[in-house]
Amino acid sequence: MRRAFLALAAWCLAATAQAATLALSGGTVIDGYGNPPIADGVVVIENDRILAVGGRGQVVVPEGAELISTEGMTVMPGLWDMQVNLMRLGHGDMNRWNETYGPLAERVIMPIAARQLLQAGVTSARDTAAPLEAAINVRDRVRDHLINGPTLFVSGPLLRKLVPPGTEEWQWAVNGAEDARAKVARLAGADVDYLLLAEVDLWTAEELTAAVTEARARGLPVHAYADRPADVERGVVLQFDGFLGTGMGVAAFPDSVVLALHQRLLEPAARPLVWSPAISAILNFESLRENAEPLDDPRTTAELPPLVAADILGSLANPDRVTGLDMPAVRALTLCAKLHQLDDAKVRLLLGSDAGAPGHLHSRATWQEVDFWVRRCGMPVERAIQAATYDAAMAMGVGHESGTLAPGKYADVIAVRGDLLRHPDLLQFVDIVIQRGHRVR
């Protein structure tokens, strides 16, 4: 009863705060669809929705609207990050983090990560593996305006075959087809947004079939970590909806994986296939080996309690003692090749940073993923932006209401000073963040 009252009160306050119409005027508008940028553009927001988008001479600003100048800025849809770890904040010692901060996930850690993401311009995000009750509660508290954060899509616990000691709350072991079916049913009954699997190469055929069949019956999309070739090959055959990461050792994707992806594309009744490569966690870690100065930037540890910030920074002082990243120096050499292999295979690429990995704080992770795609791997900046907006929203089934700037869609809008299409690293300096019509930055 008390939670319902608080939610209603928060909603009323939010509605009151959003009553005035907003008009962002003067900047270059990128709509997220891939259309040419709109010079001297105007975005009109009414309550939580976009009312109009266009050039200054095309859009009538309602009388009494609050005018926000975006002169000299790039205005675009709020970012989506399709691979974040809300219960991790970049600590370099996985065991210590699990023991010390795991019990604080719901009350402290996940809300901090959510606030960091939103302040960085991430207005929607997909969380990967968290305790079930914590994942649902944090997601719902954000939606009820009780805490600040991006609109969240959560998997709850990850399903896998081998669960490391001390991680049983957010990683569930599967033992047999009936157990797989029961665990998927439990997750669906708790109202998670998608099913996340790992170690697919170790599952029996019966277990995989049971999990996927149960997920389909309950309307859950199925995604899996791509750690080994068999993970992808089996997932393609079973019509998984997507994959995360670029594991598979130190080489580029083997021919068997590329062939499986091409065959999936040729199947007339195949489900669309999406993939968040998440290359920035490793590339960022290797860049910190050469220059750790970004960790000293106060913006990096913004929102963190001082003791937690000191603990995280201390854990990263010696890169050779960091745990949680497998052979980063060698793997970094092939990440761009893998990204281009996926692009050539016509997979729908999604922007996912793996925020929360060692040294990869939520305050910096998403813009770095964009920047590495463009500046390190040579992907067009327009493609990276689309992967972080339109394509991500479409992959989560909400493209009709989010991911682009268009009348009737949710007013998730960010603005950065300068020409983002020429300088994608400007995303590290987001000036304006509007989520569902409410300005949070």
Side-chain angles (χ1 to χ4, degrees):
M1 178 68 72
R2 181 173 180 274
R3 183 178 182 278
F5 172 77
L6 289 173
L8 179 61
W11 183 88
C12 291
L13 288 173
T16 301
Q18 295 172 9
T21 301
L22 304 178
L24 284 69
S25 177
T28 297
V29 176
I30 299 173
D31 63 10
Y33 287 107
N35 294 320
I38 303 172
D40 202 12
V42 179
V43 179
V44 180
I45 297 169
E46 189 173 69
N47 297 322
D48 64 346
R49 302 278 178 167
I50 295 173
L51 184 65
V53 180
R56 191 186 294 273
Q58 301 171 316
V59 174
V60 176
V61 177
E63 185 176 350
E66 177 185 349
L67 295 178
I68 300 174
S69 174
T70 54
E71 295 284 352
M73 295 184 179
T74 301
V75 181
M76 61 176 286
L79 297 170
W80 283 65
D81 194 319
M82 294 295 282
Q83 192 170 332
V84 303
N85 306 285
L86 287 181
M87 63 175 297
R88 303 197 177 282
L89 299 178
H91 200 280
D93 186 334
M94 300 290 278
N95 290 333
R96 171 174 164 73
W97 182 263
N98 291 341
E99 294 171 1
T100 305
Y101 299 100
L104 303 175
E106 179 180 346
R107 291 184 292 112
V108 180
I109 302 305
M110 296 174 74
I112 288 174
R115 289 196 299 270
Q116 282 194 318
L117 286 167
L118 186 59
Q119 286 297 308
V122 179
T123 56
S124 300
R126 184 174 68 177
D127 182 43
T128 56
L132 182 56
E133 185 175 348
I136 298 299
N137 288 345
V138 171
R139 179 197 67 186
D140 292 350
R141 286 164 63 197
V142 168
R143 293 182 180 179
D144 291 342
H145 309 291
L146 297 176
I147 58 176
N148 284 330
T151 300
L152 294 173
F153 298 82
V154 302
S155 67
L158 166 77
L159 300 188
R160 62 188 305 176
K161 291 297 293 180
L162 305 174
V163 174
T167 67
E168 293 86 357
E169 283 194 60
W170 60 91
Q171 302 189 78
W172 290 355
V174 169
N175 185 19
E178 286 304 314
D179 186 52
R181 187 176 293 109
K183 285 185 166 67
V184 173
R186 181 181 172 189
L187 291 170
D191 196 29
V192 300
D193 298 293
Y194 72 105
L195 180 66
L196 183 58
L197 311 180
E199 300 171 335
V200 171
D201 63 324
L202 301 181
W203 292 51
T204 67
E206 293 76 17
E207 289 169 337
L208 275 179
T209 300
V212 173
T213 300
E214 188 69 23
R216 296 288 179 235
R218 294 175 175 271
L220 283 183
V222 179
H223 295 260
Y225 281 103
D227 290 327
R228 285 169 286 275
D231 297 337
V232 177
E233 293 160 19
R234 299 184 79 184
V236 164
V237 172
L238 288 169
Q239 296 287 309
F240 285 9
D241 297 276
F243 295 98
L244 295 77
T246 52
M248 304 189 200
V250 299
F253 291 135
D255 291 343
S256 61
V257 168
V258 175
L259 178 60
L261 295 176
H262 282 293
Q263 288 177 334
R264 169 75 170 263
L265 182 66
L266 294 174
E267 295 177 18
R271 301 171 70 92
L273 184 65
V274 300
W275 199 311
S276 59
I279 65 173
S280 58
I282 289 175
L283 294 176
N284 167 67
F285 184 76
E286 287 308 297
S287 70
L288 291 176
R289 282 185 184 273
E290 301 175 6
N291 177 21
E293 196 63 32
L295 295 177
D296 293 332
D297 187 337
R299 294 172 302 170
T300 299
T301 53
E303 305 287 345
L304 297 179
L307 288 177
V308 177
D311 191 8
I312 293 170
L313 296 179
S315 75
L316 300 169
N318 185 347
D320 293 330
R321 300 184 64 179
V322 167
T323 62
L325 290 175
D326 181 33
M327 297 181 292
V330 183
R331 289 176 59 196
L333 300 175
T334 64
L335 291 176
C336 288
K338 291 177 179 177
L339 179 65
H340 285 289
Q341 282 180 297
L342 295 176
D343 191 32
D344 292 341
K346 308 303 180 186
V347 172
R348 174 174 280 180
L349 295 173
L350 309 179
L351 202 292
S353 67
D354 204 16
H360 210 30
L361 281 74
H362 297 77
S363 54
R364 305 178 69 240
T366 309
W367 78 260
Q368 286 188 292
E369 184 77 15
V370 173
D371 196 50
F372 280 126
W373 277 33
V374 177
R375 295 158 74 97
R376 179 76 170 259
C377 299
M379 293 286 282
V381 63
E382 296 85 355
R383 181 71 188 279
I385 290 174
Q386 184 172 323
T389 54
Y390 175 79
D391 286 343
M394 291 295 292
M396 295 311 297
V398 294
H400 61 290
E401 61 183 13
S402 184
T404 49
L405 302 183
K409 293 199 174 184
Y410 280 121
D412 292 341
V413 188
I414 65 173
V416 297
R417 195 167 301 280
D419 186 351
L420 181 64
L421 294 178
R422 292 182 60 195
H423 306 286
D425 58 332
L426 289 174
L427 279 173
Q428 66 186 294
F429 307 114
V430 176
D431 292 273
I432 295 172
V433 180
I434 296 173
Q435 185 195 39
R436 301 290 171 98
H438 176 60
R439 185 170 181 178
V440 297
R441 185 182 181 91

